[in-house]
Amino acid sequence: MIELPENKKIILFDGVCNLCNQTVLRIIKLDKKDNFRFTSLQSEMGKKIIEDLKIDTSKVDSIILFEPKIAYYLKSTAALKIIGTFGGIWEVSKFLLFFPSFIRDFVYDIIAKNRYKWFGKKDQCMIPTPDLLSKFID
């Protein structure tokens, strides 16, 4: 396995998706406990993690939450587990995990399928500002 930051959860995201990039910036702002590190699905690190986890990216192409040596989560489960770490009112989102994943993922897949049409797409992955560079692995 590749060398990853210890005690950090890794969020793999679609680096050319405008919605995904804005979501990453929002997560960074809300991540007061510094739980997360980020890498794009298109990056070399992202590709290595996906390969090591044996994830079929034809079925998941927008978000993966990876907790090294513990587990990984896909689609709506990943999103809800991320949101649930922020504390406060965000913890209410944990209750949505009680809904069956096929229902949650149905809604998630509609958004994921249309994200480029609704929010746009970049020609290349986001380049973090110097202030945010420590949050990204590559």
Side-chain angles (χ1 to χ4, degrees), residues 36-48:
F36 300 108
R37 292 296 177 265
F38 304 86
T39 190
S40 74
L41 296 166
Q42 296 87 352
S43 71
E44 290 305 313
M45 179 63 74
K47 290 175 186 175
K48 287 177 186 174

Side-chain angles (χ1 to χ4, degrees), residues 7-137:
N7 304 317
K8 300 294 178 192
K9 299 172 185 175
I10 313 299
I11 297 175
L12 292 93
F13 66 100
D14 180 352
V16 296
C17 166
N18 287 337
L19 173 63
C20 303
N21 282 297
Q22 289 305 312
T23 301
V24 165
L25 294 174
R26 184 77 174 147
I27 292 168
I28 290 170
K29 190 174 187 177
L30 293 170
D31 183 23
K32 304 296 184 203
K33 295 180 182 175
D34 193 33
N35 289 310
F36 300 108
R37 292 296 177 265
F38 304 86
T39 190
S40 74
L41 296 166
Q42 296 87 352
S43 71
E44 290 305 313
M45 179 63 74
K47 290 175 186 175
K48 287 177 186 174
I49 293 170
I50 290 165
E51 183 181 311
D52 286 350
L53 296 175
K54 297 174 179 40
I55 295 173
D56 181 356
T57 54
S58 70
K59 295 179 182 167
V60 179
D61 66 349
S62 56
I63 190 167
I64 300 166
L65 173 61
F66 176 43
E67 296 184 43
K69 300 179 184 173
I70 299 173
Y72 68 89
Y73 307 96
L74 308 172
K75 298 185 178 190
S76 65
T77 303
L80 291 171
K81 286 196 173 277
I82 292 165
I83 293 167
T85 66
F86 300 145
I89 191 70
W90 295 103
E91 289 195 31
V92 172
S93 68
K94 291 178 182 178
F95 292 108
L96 294 173
L97 289 168
F98 290 110
F99 286 95
S101 62
F102 74 89
I103 294 172
R104 292 184 279 112
D105 286 345
F106 176 77
V107 175
Y108 180 92
D109 287 340
I110 290 171
I111 296 167
K113 180 181 175 188
N114 292 291
R115 68 187 185 274
Y116 295 147
K117 182 169 55 172
W118 295 344
F119 300 98
K121 180 178 177 180
K122 298 180 183 299
D123 292 329
Q124 64 182 23
C125 291
M126 170 179 70
I127 299 171
T129 64
D131 292 345
L132 300 179
L133 202 53
S134 66
K135 299 285 188 178
F136 291 82
I137 57 173

